[in-house]
Structures are given as C-alpha cells and as structure tokens.
Amino acid sequence: MIVTRRDEIVEAAGVLLEQHGRDGVTMRAIAESLGIRAPSLYKHIADKHELEVALIADGFVQQADAFEKALAGGNDVPAMAIADAYRTWALDHPHLYRLMTDQPLPRDELPEGVEERSVAYVLEALAGDRDCARAAWAFAHGMVTLELADRFPPDADIAAAWRTGIESIVANVAATQNDPQGDQK
Amino acid sequence: MIVTRRDEIVEAAGVLLEQHGRDGVTMRAIAESLGIRAPSLYKHIADKHELEVALIADGFVQQADAFEKALAGGNDVPAMAIADAYRTWALDHPHLYRLMTDQPLPRDELPEGVEERSVAYVLEALAGDRDCARAAWAFAHGMVTLELADRFPPDADIAAAWRTGIESIVANVAATQNDPQGDQK
DNA sequence: GTCTATAGTGGGATAGAC
DNA sequence: GTCTATCCCACTATAGAC
C-alpha cells in the first residue's frame, strides 16, 4: 500500500485532532508536524474542508469495524454489545466523534456506503426496526456527548443509565415484534 | 425591576447568540448593537466568560418555566409532555441549548438551584427514578442535538423515534415500580 | 514540492484621555 | 462610562520564486 503525501497530511491532521481538539487542527500545525510550511500543504489538498471529509470517512470505517467485532462476539443481547462498542469507540476518539456528529454529514463527498455500513449493524441489532434503531442511536449519542462534555452530575451512575436505556428500548422491540399490528415494515 | 447596563449587555449577547450562533457573539458585535465601542463593555463585565455564564443561567430558568407549564397541562403521560417541551424549547433556542450542553456546567458560578429546578421536573415525570430520568435525558439530548445538527437521514421519521424512545423508557419505569427489588431508592 | 512574503480577516483585551 | 489607539494573537489562503 503506497502512502502518498496526502495520506500523511490526513494522518497528521487526525493525530492533532485527538491530541488538541478541533481548534488544534490548523494548517500551520499540520505542516509543522510534517516538518514543512503551511502553504506547501495546498499542493496536495484543495482546502481544509477536504481534510475534514477524509477524517470523517475514516471515522466511519473505524466505527463500523468496532461494531462488526462486537456483534461477532456472540453476545446474548446484540444491542448491548453494540452500545458498549459505541461508547468505547466514542470515548476513545472524542474529537473525531464530535466532528462526525456535530454538523450535517457531507454525504455527497463521502465514499459510497461508508455511512450505511455503520447504520446496518445498529439496525441488525434491533431486528430491523428503524424507529427503535433511531431511538437507540439518539440515546447512545446523548449518553456519549453528555459524558464527553462532562455534563452529568459528579455522582451520576453512568453505566446504570446505559443499561436502563438500552434495556428499555430492547424490551420495546421485543414487544412490538409479538404485536405485529404496531409494525411499520 | 431596574435594568442595569450589564443586563442590557447580557440581553444583547443573547440576541446575537440566537441570530448568528456562538461565533457571532463577539465583544465588538455586542458593543455595536448597543451603540458603543467594545472596550466600554469591560467597565460592566469582567470578561467574555462572565457573559456566557449569565446566558446559561438564564437558559435554565427559561427551560424550567417551559417544563412547569408542560406539567401543569395535566397530560396523561407527564414524561411525554416534558419531552415535547424539551424538544420545543431546544429547537426554539438552538444556540443557547448548545451553549448549555456542549461544555461542563460552570456550577460554581451559577445561581443556586438553577440546575436543580430543571432536573426536578424531569425526575418528577419519571416517578423519581434517577437512572430512568438520566436515560430519558440522554435520549432527549441525543434526539435534539442530532436534529439540530441535521444529522438524521432525510427520510427519517423524527416524531416516531421520539414516541418510541419515550414510550420505551416510561414502560420500563412502570415495570420496575411493580417489581420493587429492582428499585435502587 | 517546497519556500518566503504577504494579503485579508478576525478575535479578546488593556492603557490612558476625557 | 465612554472614547481612541493599540497590542498581540490567530487563522486560511494565494502569488510567485526556486
């Protein structure tokens, strides 16, 4: 696999993102970490936006890989396995996670299927019920962002809230499957 | 009620926040909207941070008022009434909402009880179960931030996801109340 | 593919006069 | 309580030489 200069630039941007947050990713800082000057970067990439898109695309691949591994574990409750993987990955890559979720997805500029693959694992864990999958995603996203922002009160039992939320939604999926008239599909 | 110059400054900052987002709240812009120069602001406030704290405190009061009104409506499902009020308020004040949730709360600098009052209404709607209340909060926060960031796919039924999530958690509260050994309180 | 020089824009905050 | 003048900082991006 050949590593182009562009790849090195994206890689350096990713390291800066996780080390110093979004504000730490400046063209100057990227260049400095490669031992060159900022204007030289523009021979390899069009602008900063292109860099962000590349980082986001990479994040989706990483996330989907984590989901795949979690489901392969053969857990009793797939949704809980996905939830654990979701939380772990987000907490391990806080700034990339926020970059991926804080703004509209540049869907036109992302490689084909990159978002869909991640979504598919979540949907699979919730019996294909899209409303439940979206509710579960929103719950997980809320838990992760509140934890990352340190917004829970100091005494909050975060693990217990995770269990409560996922169990509630899973129970609801099971209930609507036994009661097909509530099914939308 | 006397309106001090400081109050006018905070008010102007709040208007700019909702009109132009967080980046639109600059000392220069605040001053301009009051017809003075930026350096004059520092005779009334210490720095920009003090301004943000004042906006956040005000946001909590507004939010709690909205919750109070929603519960007073005498809804069949109090948790759904709170959820609707949560969504409506956040969508009506997107930038203030993000200011209040994107960073650690400056609890030491906030007026006493301002956070607690908002929390109390949510807790009340969920029978005092803290884990369920936190799960519900995280769900609502996730739904709101994903909607504000325009992160749901274009075809997503957002209202259905709200119903699914809240109903799931409410059902879980009811279940654990009939099954006291699962109760933590 | 790298460099220097620089344009253009914007920000928070202070000193000291009035 | 307001002003002018100013400091110091930072950023993205381009032009043109080598």
Side-chain angles (χ1 to χ4, degrees):
Chain A
M1 191 170 89
I2 57 163
V3 175
T4 65
R5 193 78 206 198
R6 184 179 181 280
D7 293 335
E8 291 180 336
I9 292 171
V10 173
E11 163 76 16
V15 171
L16 282 170
L17 178 64
E18 286 313 342
Q19 275 182 350
H20 304 295
R22 196 165 174 176
D23 288 348
V25 186
T26 66
M27 301 308 274
R28 293 191 213 298
I30 296 167
E32 191 186 358
S33 79
L34 292 171
I36 60 176
R37 306 289 173 168
S40 307
L41 298 172
Y42 292 90
K43 293 288 182 181
H44 307 276
I45 54 153
D47 53 26
K48 202 181 178 180
H49 177 71
E50 184 183 323
L51 224 41
E52 286 193 354
V53 172
L55 290 172
I56 290 169
D58 197 47
F60 271 106
V61 174
Q62 289 182 40
Q63 197 183 48
D65 287 347
F67 290 167
E68 186 177 0
K69 197 179 281 186
L71 282 183
N75 196 291
D76 286 340
V77 185
M80 197 62 88
I82 291 278
D84 284 343
Y86 194 97
R87 183 185 182 194
T88 300
W89 189 82
L91 263 38
D92 280 350
H93 310 81
H95 295 106
L96 178 52
Y97 181 82
R98 299 218 47 161
L99 188 66
M100 291 166 67
T101 53
D102 269 2
Q103 55 189 332
L105 259 197
R107 294 194 166 89
D108 296 348
E109 301 163 77
L110 250 28
E112 189 82 13
V114 106
E115 178 189 13
E116 287 76 7
R117 188 178 152 227
S118 242
V119 170
Y121 291 119
V122 176
L123 207 49
E124 179 184 338
L126 287 159
D129 184 317
R130 292 195 129 74
D131 292 331
C132 287
R134 274 179 209 124
W137 178 37
F139 168 72
H141 176 65
M143 286 297 301
V144 157
T145 49
L146 291 173
E147 186 170 8
L148 287 179
D150 196 19
R151 272 302 320 271
F152 284 112
D155 65 315
D157 186 341
I158 296 179
W162 269 100
R163 279 191 302 274
T164 300
I166 297 296
E167 281 169 9
S168 300
I169 293 168
V170 167
N172 192 54
V173 177
T176 56
Q177 279 199 298
N178 295 335
D179 170 26
Q181 76 241 34
D183 207 330
Q184 319 243 29
K185 192 64 161 308
Chain B
M1 191 171 90
I2 56 165
V3 175
T4 66
R5 194 68 170 155
R6 184 179 181 280
D7 294 335
E8 292 179 337
I9 292 171
V10 174
E11 163 77 15
V15 171
L16 282 170
L17 178 64
E18 286 312 342
Q19 276 182 350
H20 302 111
R22 196 165 176 176
D23 288 348
V25 186
T26 67
M27 301 306 276
R28 286 168 164 79
I30 295 167
E32 192 185 357
S33 79
L34 292 171
I36 61 176
R37 305 287 175 171
S40 307
L41 298 172
Y42 292 91
K43 293 289 181 180
H44 307 277
I45 53 154
D47 52 26
K48 202 181 178 182
H49 176 71
E50 185 183 322
L51 224 42
E52 286 193 355
V53 173
L55 289 172
I56 289 168
D58 196 47
F60 272 106
V61 174
Q62 288 182 41
Q63 197 182 49
D65 287 347
F67 290 166
E68 186 177 1
K69 196 179 281 186
L71 282 183
N75 196 291
D76 287 339
V77 185
M80 198 60 87
I82 291 277
D84 285 342
Y86 194 97
R87 182 185 184 194
T88 300
W89 189 83
L91 263 38
D92 280 350
H93 309 80
H95 295 106
L96 178 51
Y97 181 82
R98 298 219 49 161
L99 188 65
M100 291 166 66
T101 52
D102 270 0
Q103 54 188 335
L105 259 197
R107 293 192 167 91
D108 295 348
E109 302 163 76
L110 250 28
E112 189 83 14
V114 106
E115 179 189 11
E116 288 74 8
R117 187 176 154 232
S118 243
V119 170
Y121 291 119
V122 176
L123 207 49
E124 180 185 337
L126 287 159
D129 185 318
R130 293 194 128 74
D131 292 332
C132 286
R134 272 179 210 126
W137 178 37
F139 168 72
H141 176 65
M143 286 298 300
V144 157
T145 49
L146 291 173
E147 186 170 7
L148 287 178
D150 195 19
R151 270 306 318 272
F152 284 111
D155 64 316
D157 186 340
I158 296 179
W162 269 100
R163 279 192 303 273
T164 299
I166 296 296
E167 281 170 10
S168 300
I169 293 168
V170 167
N172 192 54
V173 177
T176 56
Q177 279 198 299
N178 296 336
D179 171 26
Q181 75 242 34
D183 209 329
Q184 320 240 29
K185 191 70 160 303

